Amino acid sequence: MDVLDLTRLQFAVVTIYHYLFVPLSISLSATAAGLHLTWLRTENRKYQELTKFVGKLLIVTFAVGVVTGLVQEFQFGLGWSAFAKFYGDVFGPTLAIEGMLAFFLEATFLALWYFGWERLPRKLHAATIVVVAAGTLLSAYIILAANSFMQNPVGYELDATTGRAHLTSFSALMTNEVVLAAFPHTMAGAAMAGGGLLLAIGVWRLAADTGFRTLARLGAWLTLIGGALTALTGDHLGKVMTAVQPMKMAAAEALYSTTTGAPFSVFALGKLGHEKPFLTIEVPRLLSFLGTGSFDGTVQGIDDLQAQYVAQYGPGSYVPMIPVAFWTFRLMMGAGIAGMVLAAYYLWASAGKKSRLPLLPAFLQRGAGVPGWAKRILLLSPLLPAAANTFGWIFTETARQPWLAFGISKVADGISPGLTSAEVIASLAGFTLVYGLLAIAWYKLVVHLSKKPLTSEILDKSPAAEPAPAY
C-alpha cells in the first residue's frame, strides 16, 4: 500500500471507531432525558432507577467518544493537511461552533446533571439532562452539515489565487439538502444503536432484577421504531443522493447502463461488472423507485456518468470501488433488518398477554417467554445496529470516491505533503493500540455498571426510600 492508501486506511480506522460511540451517546442522552421526565411526571421509582443507570452508561460512552473525537481531529491534521487548508474556511467555523456551543452544552450540563441529584431543584435538575440531549443533537447536526459539504458543496466560492474554498453563506451550509435528509436518518440509526445496547443488557440481567425487564422492552422498542424510521428516512436520503451524486446510486447497484425501471439486486453471486453475475435475486423496478420515487424512473448508469464526468472534470476514473459500494449497501440494510427482527421477536415472546397461534412452534408463541438459546442470540443486539451504522458510513464515504468534496477536490489532492508511509504506519499502530485499550475499558465499565443493582445509594436517600414514621 502506498502512503495515500495507508492514510485512507488510518482515516477509516479512526473514524469507524469514533462512530461506534457517537450514535450511542446520542441515543443514551435522549433516553436518559425521556426517562427522567417520565419519573418526574409519574413519581414511579422504577423510572428514577432506570434514569440513573442509563445516565451512567451515557457518561462512560460520552467520555470515550470525546477522546476518540480528539484523535480524529489530530489525524485529520496529520494526514490531510492539504485538504484542511483547502477546506479550512468552511470546516473551521462549523467545528468552532460545535466545540464552543454544542460540546459545551453536553459536557457542562452532563456534569450538572450527574452531581445535581438532591442538590438542584427537581425541575431544574431534569432540565439539565434535557439540555444534554439537545446539545448532543446540535453537535450531531453541525458535524453532519460539515460532512454534507463534502457530499454536496454549497455556500462557497473558490479563490483562484489561493486555491481555497471560502464560505459565502453559513445558512446555505446549514440547510444543505443533504444534511436535511441525512440528519433524521442518522438520528434514527442512533436510536437503533442505543436500543440494541439496552436490549442486550436488559436480557442479560433480567433474572437479577425485574427492573431490567423494562429496560429490555424499552431497548427493543427503540430498536424497532428506530429501524422503521431509518428505513423511511433512508428512502428520502437515497433520492437526494441520487440527485446530487448519481454515481453513488449507480455504484450501489453496479448498474453500468442507464436504465428505466431499474431493478434492485437483493443478492448477487459472481463478479460485478458489465455482465450480470451468474446468480442474482432482483426486485423489479425497485432501484428506480429508491432513486427517483417512480417505478418507471430512469437511473443513470456508471458508463454514462463516467463519460459525463470526463467531459466535465477532465481525464481520469470517476468510478468508485463497485464491490465495496454494492456490498456495504446491502450489509447496511441486512444488519438493520436483522436488528429489527430480534427486537420484534423479544417484544412478541415477552409480551404479558399470552396467545397461541396454530402452526407456530412454542418459542414463537406470543408471551411464551424467551428460551435460553434465544437470549444468547439477543445478546448480539448491540452489534447489529453498530454494523448497520458502520456499513452505512463506509458506503457513504467510499462511494463518493475519487472525491473528497464532490466535484471540487479529489482524495489524492488532500493528503499532507511530505507524509511518509512509515509515519502513517507508526501513528496508525499507536491509534490502534490506544483504541484497543479504550474498547476494553469501555466494555469492562459497562459490564461493571450492569452487574450492580439498579437502586443506587443516591436513590436510597430520596424521600421515597425513607422509612415511614412510627406514629
Side-chain angles (χ1 to χ4, degrees):
M1 298 176 73
D2 59 17
V3 65
L4 176 60
D5 289 336
L6 285 170
T7 308
R8 291 178 64 186
L9 174 64
Q10 183 186 68
F11 184 84
V13 169
V14 171
T15 306
I16 287 174
Y17 188 87
H18 175 61
Y19 197 61
L20 292 176
F21 298 97
V22 172
L24 285 177
S25 294
I26 294 170
S27 181
L28 292 176
S29 62
T31 304
L35 286 168
H36 198 136
L37 293 176
T38 303
W39 167 64
L40 201 64
R41 183 174 179 274
T42 64
E43 297 287 344
N44 188 326
R45 183 180 173 83
K46 176 177 66 177
Y47 294 113
Q48 187 188 29
E49 295 167 350
L50 290 173
T51 302
K52 194 68 180 169
F53 176 71
V54 174
K56 289 177 180 176
L57 295 180
L58 169 63
I59 290 170
V60 172
T61 305
F62 180 77
V64 177
V66 169
V67 173
T68 55
L70 292 175
V71 172
Q72 188 183 24
E73 292 191 19
F74 171 74
Q75 72 87 35
F76 203 89
L78 176 70
W80 302 97
S81 63
F83 181 63
K85 182 180 178 182
F86 163 79
Y87 187 38
D89 288 352
V90 178
F91 209 37
T94 52
L95 276 184
I97 292 173
E98 195 273 339
M100 291 189 297
L101 181 60
F103 180 72
F104 168 78
L105 288 177
E106 292 175 79
T108 304
F109 282 85
L110 186 58
L112 285 174
W113 177 78
Y114 183 74
F115 294 106
W117 290 94
E118 297 187 344
R119 294 181 177 86
L120 294 174
R122 293 178 64 184
K123 290 185 178 179
L124 181 61
H125 183 226
T128 59
I129 191 66
V130 174
V131 173
V132 172
T136 305
L137 293 177
L138 181 61
S139 175
Y141 188 89
I142 294 172
I143 293 299
L144 279 174
N147 179 268
S148 295
F149 179 88
M150 298 167 70
Q151 312 293 338
N152 180 40
V154 294
Y156 77 101
E157 63 180 15
L158 287 176
D159 188 323
T161 305
T162 63
R164 299 176 61 180
H166 292 293
L167 186 64
T168 57
S169 174
F170 185 73
S171 61
L173 186 70
M174 290 293 111
T175 56
N176 189 334
E177 60 178 323
V178 174
V179 71
L180 294 179
F183 180 71
H185 185 61
T186 306
M187 295 306 100
M192 284 193 76
L197 178 64
L198 299 183
L199 172 59
I201 293 174
V203 169
W204 175 45
R205 297 289 292 159
L206 187 59
D209 193 324
T210 56
F212 282 109
R213 183 178 185 277
T214 303
L215 189 75
R217 291 188 65 81
L218 174 62
W221 278 116
L222 280 174
T223 305
L224 192 59
I225 295 173
L229 293 175
T230 302
L232 289 173
T233 55
D235 176 67
H236 176 58
L237 179 60
K239 291 174 174 57
V240 172
M241 281 297 182
T242 302
V244 301
Q245 290 185 35
M247 181 67 86
K248 182 173 287 186
M249 183 58 79
E253 180 57 27
L255 184 73
Y256 281 84
S257 301
T258 299
T259 306
T260 299
F264 176 79
S265 303
V266 178
F267 180 79
L269 194 60
K271 187 177 180 181
L272 299 169
H274 288 83
E275 300 296 329
K276 275 196 170 183
F278 68 88
L279 175 62
T280 179
I281 302 174
E282 294 182 342
V283 179
R285 300 177 182 273
L286 182 57
L287 182 66
S288 285
F289 179 78
L290 293 175
T292 67
S294 169
F295 288 106
D296 297 320
T298 299
V299 180
Q300 291 179 280
I302 294 169
D303 289 342
D304 292 333
L305 288 167
Q306 166 66 17
Q308 175 186 325
Y309 290 164
V310 167
Q312 187 173 356
Y313 302 116
S317 174
Y318 298 91
V319 181
M321 293 182 67
I322 300 302
V324 174
F326 183 90
W327 285 113
T328 52
F329 193 66
R330 280 146 189 82
L331 289 170
M332 171 189 69
M333 292 191 293
I337 292 171
M340 292 176 64
V341 169
L342 283 185
Y345 167 72
Y346 178 78
L347 290 170
W348 176 263
S350 64
K353 186 178 180 181
K354 295 183 179 179
S355 63
R356 183 164 184 80
L357 298 176
L359 304 179
L360 286 181
F363 76 95
L364 286 180
Q365 295 294 336
R366 185 171 186 262
V370 182
W373 62 266
K375 288 181 180 177
R376 286 190 286 276
I377 294 177
L378 283 166
L379 294 181
L380 300 176
S381 298
L383 301 180
L384 294 171
N389 285 326
T390 300
F391 285 126
W393 180 85
I394 293 174
F395 167 72
T396 299
E397 300 305 315
T398 58
R400 188 185 63 236
Q401 304 300 315
W403 300 106
L404 269 175
F406 187 78
I408 58 174
S409 176
K410 292 183 179 178
V411 172
D413 300 326
I415 194 170
S416 299
L419 191 66
T420 66
S421 297
E423 291 171 338
V424 180
I425 292 173
S427 57
L428 178 59
F431 292 153
T432 304
L433 176 63
V434 172
Y435 282 177
L437 295 175
L438 282 174
I440 294 172
W442 180 84
Y443 174 77
K444 286 187 172 295
L445 281 171
V446 169
V447 170
H448 176 71
L449 292 172
S450 302
K451 284 183 176 179
K452 288 186 174 182
L454 285 177
T455 305
S456 67
E457 294 180 359
I458 292 177
L459 297 177
D460 287 339
K461 294 175 183 176
S462 65
E466 293 179 356
Y471 51 87

Short mmCIF file of all heavy atoms in Angstrom, two decimals, residues 23 90 110 124 136 171 176 241 290 313 327 329 358 369 391:
data_model
loop_
_atom_site.label_atom_id
_atom_site.label_comp_id
_atom_site.label_asym_id
_atom_site.label_seq_id
_atom_site.Cartn_x
_atom_site.Cartn_y
_atom_site.Cartn_z
N PRO A 23 -23.34 7.39 17.90
CA PRO A 23 -24.77 7.08 17.94
C PRO A 23 -25.23 6.64 19.33
O PRO A 23 -26.36 6.94 19.74
CB PRO A 23 -24.91 5.93 16.93
CG PRO A 23 -23.73 6.04 16.05
CD PRO A 23 -22.63 6.57 16.90
N VAL A 90 -14.34 26.55 5.54
CA VAL A 90 -15.69 26.01 5.65
C VAL A 90 -15.81 25.17 6.91
O VAL A 90 -16.76 25.30 7.69
CB VAL A 90 -16.02 25.15 4.41
CG1 VAL A 90 -17.41 24.54 4.54
CG2 VAL A 90 -15.92 25.98 3.14
N LEU A 110 -24.02 17.82 31.49
CA LEU A 110 -23.94 16.42 31.92
C LEU A 110 -23.33 16.35 33.32
O LEU A 110 -23.79 15.56 34.18
CB LEU A 110 -23.09 15.60 30.94
CG LEU A 110 -23.03 14.10 31.19
CD1 LEU A 110 -24.42 13.47 31.18
CD2 LEU A 110 -22.15 13.41 30.15
N LEU A 124 -35.41 21.86 37.72
CA LEU A 124 -34.17 22.41 37.16
C LEU A 124 -33.18 21.28 36.87
O LEU A 124 -32.49 21.29 35.85
CB LEU A 124 -33.55 23.41 38.14
CG LEU A 124 -32.25 24.09 37.67
CD1 LEU A 124 -32.50 24.88 36.39
CD2 LEU A 124 -31.69 25.01 38.77
N THR A 136 -26.40 17.32 22.33
CA THR A 136 -25.93 16.19 21.54
C THR A 136 -26.52 16.23 20.13
O THR A 136 -25.81 16.00 19.14
CB THR A 136 -26.34 14.87 22.23
OG1 THR A 136 -25.84 14.88 23.56
CG2 THR A 136 -25.76 13.68 21.49
N SER A 171 -25.82 30.00 6.24
CA SER A 171 -27.17 29.43 6.25
C SER A 171 -27.32 28.37 5.16
O SER A 171 -27.99 27.35 5.36
CB SER A 171 -28.20 30.55 6.05
OG SER A 171 -28.00 31.19 4.80
N ASN A 176 -28.15 22.71 3.75
CA ASN A 176 -27.81 21.84 2.61
C ASN A 176 -28.85 20.71 2.54
O ASN A 176 -29.17 20.08 3.55
CB ASN A 176 -26.41 21.27 2.84
CG ASN A 176 -25.87 20.53 1.64
OD1 ASN A 176 -26.64 20.00 0.83
ND2 ASN A 176 -24.56 20.49 1.52
N MET A 241 -29.51 11.70 -2.59
CA MET A 241 -28.18 11.31 -3.05
C MET A 241 -28.18 11.02 -4.55
O MET A 241 -27.20 11.32 -5.26
CB MET A 241 -27.70 10.08 -2.27
CG MET A 241 -27.18 10.40 -0.88
SD MET A 241 -25.72 11.47 -0.97
CE MET A 241 -25.32 11.62 0.77
N LEU A 290 -36.35 3.62 -5.51
CA LEU A 290 -35.47 4.11 -4.45
C LEU A 290 -34.74 5.38 -4.87
O LEU A 290 -34.51 6.28 -4.05
CB LEU A 290 -34.45 3.03 -4.07
CG LEU A 290 -34.99 1.77 -3.40
CD1 LEU A 290 -33.88 0.75 -3.20
CD2 LEU A 290 -35.65 2.11 -2.06
N TYR A 313 -14.96 17.22 -15.82
CA TYR A 313 -13.85 17.45 -14.88
C TYR A 313 -12.48 17.11 -15.46
O TYR A 313 -11.45 17.34 -14.81
CB TYR A 313 -14.06 16.61 -13.62
CG TYR A 313 -15.37 16.90 -12.91
CD1 TYR A 313 -16.34 15.92 -12.80
CD2 TYR A 313 -15.61 18.16 -12.36
CE1 TYR A 313 -17.55 16.18 -12.15
CE2 TYR A 313 -16.81 18.43 -11.71
CZ TYR A 313 -17.77 17.43 -11.61
OH TYR A 313 -18.95 17.69 -10.97
N TRP A 327 -21.75 -4.12 -1.75
CA TRP A 327 -21.97 -4.99 -0.59
C TRP A 327 -22.20 -4.21 0.70
O TRP A 327 -22.95 -4.65 1.57
CB TRP A 327 -20.81 -5.97 -0.45
CG TRP A 327 -20.90 -7.06 -1.48
CD1 TRP A 327 -20.06 -7.29 -2.54
CD2 TRP A 327 -21.94 -8.04 -1.59
NE1 TRP A 327 -20.50 -8.35 -3.28
CE2 TRP A 327 -21.64 -8.84 -2.73
CE3 TRP A 327 -23.08 -8.34 -0.85
CZ2 TRP A 327 -22.45 -9.90 -3.12
CZ3 TRP A 327 -23.88 -9.39 -1.24
CH2 TRP A 327 -23.57 -10.17 -2.36
N PHE A 329 -23.77 -1.46 0.95
CA PHE A 329 -25.16 -1.02 0.88
C PHE A 329 -26.11 -2.12 1.35
O PHE A 329 -27.06 -1.88 2.11
CB PHE A 329 -25.50 -0.62 -0.56
CG PHE A 329 -26.78 0.15 -0.71
CD1 PHE A 329 -26.92 1.42 -0.17
CD2 PHE A 329 -27.86 -0.40 -1.39
CE1 PHE A 329 -28.10 2.12 -0.30
CE2 PHE A 329 -29.05 0.31 -1.53
CZ PHE A 329 -29.17 1.56 -0.99
N PRO A 358 -51.90 -21.39 15.89
CA PRO A 358 -51.62 -22.70 15.32
C PRO A 358 -50.44 -22.65 14.35
O PRO A 358 -50.13 -21.61 13.77
CB PRO A 358 -52.93 -23.05 14.59
CG PRO A 358 -53.57 -21.73 14.33
CD PRO A 358 -53.19 -20.85 15.47
N GLY A 369 -42.39 -16.48 26.42
CA GLY A 369 -41.08 -16.32 27.05
C GLY A 369 -39.96 -16.60 26.07
O GLY A 369 -40.17 -17.15 24.99
N PHE A 391 -21.49 0.15 8.21
CA PHE A 391 -21.55 -0.13 6.76
C PHE A 391 -22.17 1.06 6.02
O PHE A 391 -21.77 1.38 4.88
CB PHE A 391 -22.34 -1.40 6.49
CG PHE A 391 -21.60 -2.66 6.83
CD1 PHE A 391 -22.15 -3.60 7.68
CD2 PHE A 391 -20.34 -2.90 6.31
CE1 PHE A 391 -21.46 -4.76 8.01
CE2 PHE A 391 -19.64 -4.06 6.63
CZ PHE A 391 -20.21 -5.00 7.48
#
